[in-house]
Amino acid sequence: MKRPVLFQKKIPANLGTGLPVSSSSLEDAHQRLSADPDLNTVPVVKEVPDLPFKENTEVHTDKLQQCLNSDLPKTNIVEDDQQSSKNLSEERNLVFLSNKIEPSSSLETAPLFHELKKELTRKQFLGPNFTESYCWPSVARGCDVVAISYQGNDPFIYVPPLLTLLQLEGCYKAFTNKSGPLALILCPGWKKAQLVFELLKTYERCSRQFHPMLIILGQNKAAASSVKIQGCEVIVTTPYSFLRLFEHHNLFCRLCHLVLDEMEVLFSDAAEQVFTILDCYKKATASEEWEYSPHQIIAVGTHWNKHIAHLIKEFMNDPYVVITAMEEASIYGNVQQVVQPCVNSERISVLLKILDFTHNNPQKVLVFTNSVNEVDAIHEALKSNSIFSLKIHKESNSKYVLEQWTEKYNSGSPVLLVSTDDCMQSLGITDATCVIHFSFPSSRIFGQRLHSMSDNFSNDSSADQEHTKARSVILLTENSDCHALGILRFLQHAEAEIPPELHDFTAKMLEAEEDKKSSRPLCAYLKTFGICKNRTACPDRHQINMQMDIPQNIPDKILQAPGCVTILPLHIVSATNYFGRIVDKEKDQYTILAKEINEYFENPSNRISVKEVKALALYGLCEKRLFHRVQVLEIYPQEEENLFFSVKIKYIDEGRASQGLSCQLLHLPARFQCLPPQAVEFVVCRVKPIDKETEWNPEVTHYINHKIKGKLHEAKIVHTLGNTAWIDQMVRITRLSELKITANEYNVRSEILSTGLGTDNPEHITQLQKLCGHLKLLDHTENLDSLSIKEDTADPENTSNAENMSNPQNMSAQENSTENCSSSKITFRTHSGGGVRQSKDVEDTTLHQRQCFHPQIKWFQNEETVTVKVEIASTADHKCEFSKEKVIFSACSGDKFYLADMELHQRILAEKSTCVIKDKEVVIILVKEQKGSWCKLLKNKNNHVSLDFEHWEDCEDDSPFPGGTKKVYCTGAVSEDLVDSSEVSGTESDD
């Protein structure tokens, strides 16, 4: 089977846009096809293996093409020397196409319907960029399209021509009696889906109404079943949400257009879901009724992904592959990438060894360097070794060189050309079989060099790379530090073999890059979820800075005795990130200060406007009759005609920032500036968005904002860094003073989970522990639950500690987490590695030379019993001893021995209490001696014992989410997990 070849063609530029323009519009093309029979044949010159291409020499005009009325001759443009206004000015526009197509580079010739052109003109849209000039015609024809570009995340690549197709109602007559969407746009996340939806809504105004819908569904099945899609012709969603919707609705009965937006992200994060949808789409369009109906798959992105080859082969029909990022085209074309480490002074000798293969197998080899002197030196070295070569630089005769390049190879001899990078454009070579990067390339130059082999790109994914026609060889030297990191990322992306030298080299560079970020804030994703998906591109730091990360704005007594605190969320950033204050119930200094500030400013004579505003200075500000302390973060440039100017301010006691006018700032007396800023950032642990999202859906954030803002909550601090406190758990407690009991209204983490848009994140705290593994902050306290200790991965004992730290109810650091087992007289000492070891021989012979670990325990109660859950999986040799005031439980799990010696807060009936062994936990039922509520389980505080917040009783609530919310009611005061002192809770403590 023959396939089309790539060739060059110069195109005149549009003076208005600077973009290349085609010689005719869509209408002109159709007229030419009708008038000139010679134009109805497409020359087939060479093969591109495994590319689905039909060897028809005539362009068929079936019913679908007549309906689309866009029969364009397929023209394979490889290069355009004109500059696009939307691309980097120093880069040439290069494109790789699998099929030929004439670009539409101006708005006048673009294949868009008239009203849309008028709307784009009204919005001062000058014309399609380089990638759009090739994609719009192929999409508008109704063809399958794969587009990879540096601008591949811009939905404008496909939206205008897709809207044009949807105007042609005659194409969809076969589906008149059916319901469901005509087009489905799959996006990698809710944020991108919202952007695409807003774009569709913007341009729907100038077209017929197709009622697009943005559908983002959580894990609550009731929400999916309640969605109404009647009349909707375009759905914008994510793969996960679509499959949830598909369980309740038939969505493929007339689906014609399937769009994969940012396909490399979709295939990376949801490959299984995407291919499930593709399989359903393929089966739906296989019936006879689809023979003359449009069925089109559009896939756009910025990078090649290994799944795209399967997409093209199994689900597309003669697709147009448009790649304007040459590095990505080389991956599509199976170019073999080779890295050759060498010393800078020995590059020429290494080059000679590489060139030995050209004598046995005729090759067309290009050696690229960025220096004229190096060109001459290489040429002379080749000449002295009897190797024929050509050389070219700015002062050379390019015409002669090109003639020799062609004639020498045609005679059956290998040909070698040494060139500087600035000659690539004038040469226009695309048929090289090997490119040698004598000088290390930048990322931009690298792609242009690879373009010299574009005629030999092959998308035969089954071919052995050792036998591919195109090869790229990079000489890696000790002077290659400038661009090594970018090349390494590309080689990893291309799944090329990478020498250890390059790994070591770039590891040092990555470390140096991270060191440059030392003054930046700690990465928000790292704080919120425990990981950052793209550390290399993230501008913030991912390492601890001892100076910046020392706890700030957190009371000393909280740091010295961490545990339960009362917090007041005031500024909700997201579902799990808030700014607010830690409230001291005994004597809250800020409450006193705020009262004094408001009393002071109530006197109009004290409201003195600031004449000279200084950055970072503190001022007063009136907002809704309340006065706040604010700090000026930035002063914006003042316009000459304005007397006042804008400033960016931060409410230092609340954490929020806003913009205001300089005239609103009031002089703040020094006595009101003495108290440090009170705003603390709180992060709720162990919960993250569903579907691998990196940001919380605004619906969840809005719900949590309404639920918690301005309300006191009891929270357990498990970690602190800088001005950030991580909390696990955070509970709203209502105190019923008349009945002398408290009721837990809700747990914030459980409220987030109840929305269906959040899921468990068990590694969150563990990742924080790893981040801070080398820290020894605040050594003056020996029992600091809120900081983590360095993990020693070499210590097998530490594995147990890591497991304990990942437990959701673990509230303490693992260095001090293992308690002395008093009943067995075992003593321990802590080590910097985080492991727990014996310091002397065990006196109890039964437990001789065995380490003792305290299990994690949760408990809840009713009027008659207390249920204690001991979290140990696969228990063996268990033993549970009951007495009136104590329970001693011991068991083995694997090679670990667990012991819990629990001195109870109140008495039990030992003879009626039981112990039940289950797969993943042990359940102990304690029968109370006297009916009633226990305010706590144990007499003494134990960080391994916590209230079971997940034991809920269903009740009605006005939650906006389909699943509603749930509440827990705990008689008595609060569990060990929520109370550390009477000063905090107002009830009896565990201590």
Side-chain angles (χ1 to χ4, degrees):
M1 183 181 293
K2 294 184 177 181
R3 275 92 171 178
V5 70
L6 311 178
F7 65 91
Q8 291 179 245
K9 182 175 179 180
K10 305 293 182 182
I11 305 178
N14 179 286
L15 298 179
T17 64
L19 293 168
V21 299
S22 61
S23 57
S24 65
S25 64
L26 286 175
E27 292 77 10
D28 293 335
H30 184 69
Q31 292 174 3
R32 287 164 55 208
L33 282 171
S34 303
D36 189 350
D38 292 336
L39 290 177
N40 281 332
T41 60
V42 178
V44 180
V45 185
K46 72 176 282 292
E47 294 188 3
V48 180
D50 271 11
L51 179 68
F53 178 77
K54 300 175 183 177
E55 190 188 354
N56 291 344
T57 56
E58 296 184 0
V59 178
H60 296 286
T61 55
D62 58 17
K63 293 184 179 181
L64 173 58
Q65 288 176 318
Q66 293 174 8
C67 177
L68 298 175
N69 192 26
S70 57
D71 295 33
L72 283 174
K74 295 181 181 180
T75 308
N76 196 23
I77 307 298
V78 170
E79 177 181 338
D80 193 295
D81 295 335
Q82 305 299 328
Q83 301 298 324
S84 168
S85 60
K86 296 186 180 181
N87 292 340
L88 296 175
S89 59
E90 70 272 14
E91 292 190 27
R92 291 186 301 148
N93 290 322
L94 306 172
V95 62
F96 174 89
L97 301 173
S98 62
N99 282 348
K100 304 172 184 178
I101 192 167
E102 182 99 6
S104 298
S105 304
S106 67
L107 189 57
E108 292 78 13
T109 63
L112 309 178
F113 67 99
H114 182 65
E115 293 300 322
L116 180 55
K117 288 183 181 181
K118 286 175 60 178
E119 181 67 15
L120 290 172
T121 302
R122 189 181 69 81
K123 293 182 177 295
Q124 298 181 340
F125 179 79
L126 297 178
N129 63 26
F130 185 72
T131 303
E132 292 163 355
S133 69
Y134 286 95
C135 291
W136 284 8
S138 52
V139 172
R141 293 186 70 210
C143 302
D144 291 338
V145 177
V146 171
I148 300 176
S149 166
Y150 299 120
Q151 298 85 31
N153 55 1
D154 185 355
F156 227 68
I157 289 177
Y158 61 85
V159 166
L162 181 61
L163 290 179
T164 299
L165 281 173
L166 293 172
Q167 305 309 305
L168 307 175
E169 296 183 80
C171 292
Y172 310 105
K173 287 182 178 178
F175 309 113
T176 303
N177 297 325
K178 296 183 178 181
S179 62
L182 293 174
L184 169 64
I185 301 176
L186 295 177
C187 298
W190 67 263
K191 200 167 188 178
K192 184 59 180 292
Q194 192 172 49
L195 186 150
V196 173
F197 175 73
E198 290 172 356
L199 192 63
L200 290 173
K201 293 294 290 183
T202 298
Y203 292 101
E204 184 194 26
R205 302 165 190 164
C206 62
S207 64
R208 73 175 184 87
Q209 298 298 306
F210 49 86
H211 307 292
M213 287 184 67
L214 172 64
I215 300 177
I216 303 296
L217 293 172
Q219 296 174 337
N220 291 331
K221 293 185 178 181
S225 61
S226 63
V227 174
K228 306 297 181 183
I229 60 172
Q230 284 78 7
C232 167
E233 295 187 358
V234 180
I235 289 179
V236 185
T237 185
T238 66
Y240 292 95
S241 291
F242 180 80
L243 290 179
R244 293 181 188 117
L245 184 67
F246 182 50
E247 292 179 5
H248 303 275
H249 302 275
N250 184 3
L251 301 170
F252 290 98
C253 58
R254 64 171 193 157
L255 184 63
C256 298
H257 311 280
L258 174 59
V259 180
L260 306 181
D261 190 295
E262 295 189 48
M263 58 182 166
E264 74 280 3
V265 183
L266 289 174
F267 284 131
S268 175
D269 292 348
E272 181 181 350
Q273 289 73 20
V274 171
F275 281 118
T276 298
I277 295 170
L278 286 167
D279 285 332
C280 294
Y281 178 77
K282 183 178 180 179
K283 292 175 183 177
T285 56
S287 59
E288 294 182 2
E289 63 181 327
W290 288 87
E291 184 176 358
Y292 300 114
S293 300
H295 42 99
Q296 175 186 44
I297 298 176
I298 304 166
V300 300
T302 57
H303 296 287
W304 180 262
N305 182 285
K306 60 183 179 181
H307 293 296
I308 301 175
H310 183 62
L311 168 71
I312 292 173
K313 185 177 181 180
E314 296 296 330
F315 300 99
M316 289 185 161
N317 178 31
D318 192 16
Y320 286 85
V321 180
V322 181
I323 307 180
T324 59
M326 278 300 112
E327 312 92 278
E328 304 302 321
S330 72
I331 300 176
Y332 168 82
N334 283 307
V335 174
Q336 182 186 9
Q337 297 289 345
V338 179
V339 179
Q340 180 62 56
C342 64
V343 179
N344 190 63
S345 58
E346 298 178 356
R347 281 186 298 167
I348 291 181
S349 61
V350 173
L351 174 64
L352 293 174
K353 294 179 181 178
I354 294 172
L355 293 175
D356 285 343
F357 74 93
T358 60
H359 294 282
N360 301 324
N361 184 19
Q363 300 282 323
K364 302 184 80 171
V365 182
L366 270 171
V367 180
F368 280 112
T369 183
N370 53 19
S371 166
V372 174
N373 292 335
E374 286 185 345
V375 169
D376 293 334
I378 296 169
H379 183 70
E380 289 300 320
L382 295 172
K383 185 177 180 181
S384 63
N385 283 272
S386 302
I387 299 177
F388 173 80
S389 66
L390 303 167
K391 70 173 183 178
I392 186 171
H393 44 72
K394 277 295 184 181
E395 301 174 1
S396 305
N397 186 342
S398 61
K399 183 177 180 181
Y400 168 77
V401 170
L402 285 174
E403 289 175 354
Q404 289 293 308
W405 174 266
T406 304
E407 291 176 6
K408 188 75 176 177
Y409 186 76
N410 288 341
S411 66
S413 302
V415 58
L416 192 153
L417 173 60
V418 186
S419 172
T420 53
D421 291 320
D422 54 13
C423 293
M424 282 189 291
Q425 182 173 352
S426 59
L427 286 173
I429 292 175
T430 58
D431 61 347
T433 57
C434 178
V435 166
I436 300 176
H437 308 272
F438 189 82
S439 64
F440 204 80
S442 66
S443 299
R444 180 179 65 85
I445 291 297
F446 186 61
Q448 293 185 1
R449 290 177 178 180
L450 294 176
H451 175 253
S452 302
M453 300 185 291
S454 56
D455 286 358
N456 292 306
F457 288 177
S458 165
N459 70 329
D460 185 0
S461 58
S462 62
D464 187 349
Q465 269 211 337
E466 293 294 330
H467 299 90
T468 55
K469 288 186 177 181
R471 180 173 299 179
S472 167
V473 182
I474 303 172
L475 300 186
L476 176 67
T477 74
E478 69 275 15
N479 298 330
S480 304
D481 58 336
C482 187
H483 306 292
L485 191 56
I487 297 300
L488 172 67
R489 291 172 187 164
F490 168 76
L491 294 174
Q492 291 173 330
H493 172 46
E495 298 183 352
E497 184 176 345
I498 302 172
E501 293 88 345
L502 183 56
H503 269 302
D504 296 340
F505 191 73
T506 50
K508 294 178 181 178
M509 292 186 61
L510 284 171
E511 186 177 347
E513 288 292 321
E514 194 64 42
D515 289 341
K516 292 178 182 178
K517 303 175 183 178
S518 60
S519 61
R520 295 282 304 167
L522 190 62
C523 171
Y525 294 104
L526 200 62
K527 292 195 294 185
T528 307
F529 307 122
I531 60 170
C532 177
K533 279 190 172 182
N534 195 0
R535 294 180 60 148
T536 53
C538 179
D540 294 330
R541 63 184 168 92
H542 304 85
Q543 296 177 350
I544 296 302
N545 182 323
M546 294 293 289
Q547 294 180 341
M548 298 178 66
D549 293 325
I550 292 177
Q552 305 165 13
N553 302 346
I554 299 175
D556 290 339
K557 71 176 184 178
I558 299 299
L559 295 173
Q560 293 169 4
C564 180
V565 296
T566 301
I567 68 172
L568 181 66
L570 296 169
H571 173 52
I572 313 303
V573 179
S574 69
T576 53
N577 288 62
Y578 330 124
F579 282 90
R581 293 196 299 273
I582 296 175
V583 178
D584 190 331
K585 290 190 174 181
E586 181 181 4
K587 184 180 179 182
D588 189 57
Q589 292 181 321
Y590 176 77
T591 303
I592 299 170
L593 177 69
K595 182 179 179 182
E596 293 176 353
I597 290 176
N598 281 276
E599 289 176 350
Y600 174 81
F601 282 118
E602 280 180 1
N603 186 347
S605 63
N606 291 333
R607 300 174 196 170
I608 304 172
S609 297
V610 178
K611 295 181 180 179
E612 182 181 357
V613 178
K614 296 180 180 180
L616 303 182
L618 297 182
Y619 301 100
L621 180 72
C622 181
E623 183 182 71
K624 297 179 180 178
R625 297 183 180 181
L626 291 177
F627 292 88
H628 303 267
R629 298 192 302 171
V630 298
Q631 182 182 37
V632 175
L633 300 179
E634 186 177 356
I635 301 174
Y636 297 107
Q638 182 177 357
E639 297 180 6
E640 295 181 2
E641 63 273 12
N642 290 342
L643 186 62
F644 305 110
F645 50 90
S646 297
V647 291
K648 182 179 181 180
I649 57 175
K650 179 180 180 180
Y651 294 75
I652 65 172
D653 300 311
E654 294 185 10
R656 59 191 171 102
S658 66
Q659 187 172 320
L661 293 175
S662 59
C663 60
Q664 296 175 302
L665 301 178
L666 303 174
H667 173 72
L668 187 67
R671 70 177 186 272
F672 296 142
Q673 301 185 29
C674 296
L675 186 68
Q678 296 295 293
V680 175
E681 180 185 18
F682 302 107
V683 179
V684 175
C685 296
R686 297 189 301 109
V687 63
K688 62 183 177 180
I690 60 172
D691 304 342
K692 299 181 181 180
E693 294 273 9
T694 58
E695 295 185 48
W696 284 106
N697 190 301
E699 189 176 3
V700 190
T701 300
H702 177 75
Y703 171 61
I704 295 299
N705 179 78
H706 176 75
K707 194 91 177 174
I708 72 172
K709 186 175 180 179
K711 300 176 183 178
L712 292 174
H713 292 75
E714 301 299 317
K716 175 73 176 182
I717 294 181
V718 295
H719 201 83
T720 56
L721 280 177
N723 196 41
T724 303
W726 283 264
I727 52 180
D728 183 18
Q729 310 268 346
M730 176 178 171
V731 180
R732 170 70 172 170
I733 295 180
T734 299
R735 304 186 186 279
L736 307 176
S737 57
E738 295 180 358
L739 300 178
K740 295 183 179 181
I741 63 173
T742 62
N744 293 353
E745 285 190 40
Y746 56 80
N747 179 309
V748 173
R749 179 176 177 272
S750 297
E751 287 295 300
I752 294 172
L753 294 174
S754 74
T755 67
L757 295 170
T759 188
D760 189 38
N761 183 13
E763 299 299 319
H764 190 181
I765 298 177
T766 305
Q767 292 296 330
L768 291 174
Q769 299 282 1
K770 291 179 179 179
L771 172 69
C772 306
H774 64 286
L775 280 187
K776 287 188 178 181
L777 296 179
L778 301 176
D779 290 333
H780 61 274
T781 174
E782 295 181 357
N783 186 19
L784 187 59
D785 292 345
S786 60
L787 291 178
S788 63
I789 307 300
K790 181 178 181 180
E791 295 181 12
D792 185 0
T793 56
D795 188 351
E797 300 162 8
N798 195 50
T799 305
S800 174
N801 283 349
E803 293 171 357
N804 289 340
M805 285 187 285
S806 65
N807 190 292
Q809 295 298 333
N810 186 5
M811 301 300 177
S812 65
Q814 294 304 302
E815 184 177 60
N816 301 305
S817 63
T818 306
E819 292 189 340
N820 294 342
C821 301
S822 57
S823 65
S824 304
K825 300 182 181 179
I826 302 177
T827 59
F828 300 93
R829 58 185 175 90
T830 57
H831 289 252
S832 60
V836 181
R837 302 182 179 180
Q838 296 178 356
S839 62
K840 63 178 182 179
D841 293 337
V842 182
E843 298 179 11
D844 190 321
T845 57
T846 306
L847 302 176
H848 184 62
Q849 293 181 344
R850 301 188 72 178
Q851 291 193 15
C852 174
F853 297 92
H854 198 297
Q856 296 299 314
I857 293 174
K858 299 179 183 178
W859 73 284
F860 60 91
Q861 64 177 318
N862 58 31
E863 289 292 307
E864 298 179 351
T865 64
V866 174
T867 302
V868 178
K869 294 183 178 180
V870 184
E871 297 183 358
I872 300 179
S874 304
T875 59
D877 299 330
H878 70 278
K879 186 177 181 180
C880 191
E881 299 179 359
F882 298 97
S883 63
K884 289 186 177 182
E885 297 180 348
K886 181 180 287 191
V887 176
I888 301 176
F889 174 83
S890 63
C892 292
S893 178
D895 59 350
K896 301 181 182 66
F897 177 75
Y898 293 90
L899 176 64
D901 187 347
M902 297 175 280
E903 190 172 359
L904 302 175
H905 172 64
Q906 294 190 29
R907 292 189 173 195
I908 61 171
L909 299 176
E911 66 278 5
K912 293 186 178 181
S913 299
T914 58
C915 177
V916 179
I917 305 298
K918 296 188 177 181
D919 291 338
K920 296 183 179 180
E921 63 182 6
V922 176
V923 180
I924 301 173
I925 307 296
L926 306 177
V927 180
K928 297 177 182 179
E929 187 177 77
Q930 294 182 354
K931 293 183 180 181
S933 63
W934 290 11
C935 64
K936 54 186 179 180
L937 178 65
L938 307 179
K939 281 187 177 181
N940 300 312
K941 173 73 176 180
N942 188 323
N943 288 323
H944 299 277
V945 180
S946 61
L947 185 67
D948 187 355
F949 288 105
E950 308 303 327
H951 187 75
W952 303 102
E953 297 178 3
D954 294 333
C955 66
E956 296 182 359
D957 196 8
D958 56 352
S959 169
F961 296 92
T965 58
K966 297 179 180 179
K967 295 181 180 178
V968 62
Y969 295 95
C970 296
T971 57
V974 192
S975 75
E976 289 91 341
D977 192 42
L978 287 180
V979 178
D980 279 338
S981 65
S982 59
E983 288 85 1
V984 174
S985 66
T987 63
E988 181 183 358
S989 74
D990 292 329
D991 297 326

